[in-house]
Amino acid sequence: MTAAGAQSVERCFLSYSRTDSDVALRLANDLEALGVALWVDRRNIRPSEHWDRAIERAIRGCRCMVVVLSPRAAASENVADEISLAIDSAKRIIPVMIEPCSLPLRLTRLHLIDATGGFARAVQQCFAEIASGEADHDRLVPQIQCGIDDPQLIACAERELARFVGPIAQILVQRAAARAATAEGLYHLLALHIDHEPDRQQFIAAGSVPAVVPGHSATARQSIHRSDLERIAHALASHLGPIALVLTNREGAAAASLKDLLGRLASRIEGDDERADFLRQVQTQPGPAII
């Protein structure tokens, strides 16, 4: 971590009510998995720092602010102060509503991302707003994205996306590749062009499994089929949310067996009961037994 005055520069500030910490941190984790740099008070304020000064410094130094909206956030004086300082500092604000509420007065004219009807979709929309926010696009992109120049990855993405959108896939992939920092980020950006949620999830899953390079050993990867990854990700999602798909495919690429994969994923779940429930879910879903 850099010095206190520099650690917030170029990051996106996360504003939320402390009573919404679980959902707010879930949003933060999902955005960070896509390559977004976030400033979150619980993670970035050091024990020796003055809280108010750290918040003010972070907002003044941030690229934009993501506000997690709920009835608690709408009633929070701290959230209201953070929004006011961001607006006065000419920062772009991205509101994400997790529960229906009356919008703070200074946010009523801003475009709102509604997470009440689908959290995963809201994460994708928020990521896209951060990555390519209209007037701020040129200023935002260099920090959170550096572009992808991998012909094999781009070709695979074009082939997969063409199944859902047709020939325009080539243009869409070329544009997204210039803004994405990771394969996961590229596929999440492209998924915004797919209308139906099951198709979007299928497309994202296809991008999460690394392609096998000819001449390289793929024994471990071949031992776990995509259908197994999908059913395991489905079970894990009830415990970790939409990030489960990314984690399952990422760990699946490195795991030596289904049993090894389950051990890796179960370690991500807090609580013995939750872990046991996850393992039961996987065993009762259709597919080969995991022993």
Side-chain angles (χ1 to χ4, degrees):
M1 186 66 68
T2 58
Q7 66 180 355
S8 62
V9 175
E10 308 272 300
R11 292 172 179 257
C12 296
F13 184 96
L14 185 69
S15 178
Y16 63 100
S17 167
R18 301 304 168 264
T19 53
D20 296 327
S21 292
D22 289 346
V23 178
L25 292 178
R26 176 183 169 189
L27 175 63
N29 289 337
D30 288 358
L31 289 174
E32 287 174 339
L34 296 174
V36 176
L38 283 172
W39 194 96
V40 185
D41 55 0
R42 288 179 55 175
R43 300 174 180 173
N44 294 93
I45 296 181
R46 299 180 301 182
S48 59
E49 287 188 274
H50 189 282
W51 186 86
D52 287 342
R53 292 176 183 172
I55 293 292
E56 180 178 357
R57 185 165 50 244
I59 293 174
R60 293 190 185 281
C62 73
R63 294 179 177 279
C64 65
M65 174 182 286
V66 176
V67 183
V68 179
L69 290 175
S70 70
R72 280 84 54 193
S76 169
E77 292 185 4
N78 288 333
V79 172
D81 289 343
E82 291 167 0
I83 291 171
S84 293
L85 179 57
I87 292 175
D88 293 342
S89 301
K91 304 298 180 180
R92 188 162 62 93
I93 298 179
I94 303 172
V96 180
M97 180 178 286
I98 60 172
E99 291 182 28
C101 64
S102 298
L103 294 180
L105 179 61
R106 304 191 76 175
L107 297 186
T108 53
R109 294 187 178 182
L110 297 180
H111 172 66
L112 177 70
I113 295 175
D114 187 358
T116 61
F119 192 84
R121 177 68 169 172
V123 170
Q124 294 171 9
Q125 292 175 322
C126 188
F127 174 74
E129 284 290 322
I130 294 171
S132 56
E134 298 180 352
D136 290 334
H137 175 270
D138 291 339
R139 183 168 61 86
L140 287 171
V141 169
Q143 172 66 19
I144 63 173
Q145 298 177 326
C146 59
I148 291 177
D149 185 19
D150 183 337
Q152 183 181 16
L153 173 59
I154 291 174
C156 288
E158 290 177 358
R159 184 170 58 252
E160 292 290 341
L161 185 63
R163 296 169 51 202
F164 303 101
V165 302
I168 197 175
Q170 182 176 11
I171 297 175
L172 297 176
V173 171
Q174 294 296 329
R175 289 177 179 174
R179 306 201 311 266
T182 64
E184 290 87 355
L186 173 64
Y187 273 74
H188 275 78
L189 273 178
L190 294 173
L192 296 173
H193 299 286
I194 301 175
D195 292 332
H196 301 294
E197 182 64 24
D199 291 341
R200 281 196 297 270
Q201 294 303 322
Q202 182 182 350
F203 173 74
I204 291 172
S208 300
V209 181
V212 177
V213 179
H216 288 248
S217 174
T219 304
R221 201 168 296 145
Q222 289 177 344
S223 67
I224 304 177
H225 297 289
R226 180 167 293 173
S227 60
D228 295 326
L229 293 173
E230 290 175 353
R231 68 188 181 88
I232 291 171
H234 178 74
L236 187 64
S238 63
H239 301 279
L240 299 183
I243 195 64
L245 186 62
V246 174
L247 290 175
T248 300
N249 286 290
R250 183 178 296 165
E251 295 294 345
S257 64
L258 284 174
K259 183 178 180 180
D260 181 30
L261 173 59
L262 284 183
R264 291 166 180 260
L265 296 176
S267 68
R268 302 268 187 164
I269 302 174
E270 296 183 3
D272 294 339
D273 291 342
E274 288 286 309
R275 282 193 292 271
D277 181 58
F278 164 65
L279 295 174
R280 281 195 299 270
Q281 283 181 275
V282 174
Q283 291 287 5
T284 54
Q285 288 178 351
I290 303 171
I291 58 176

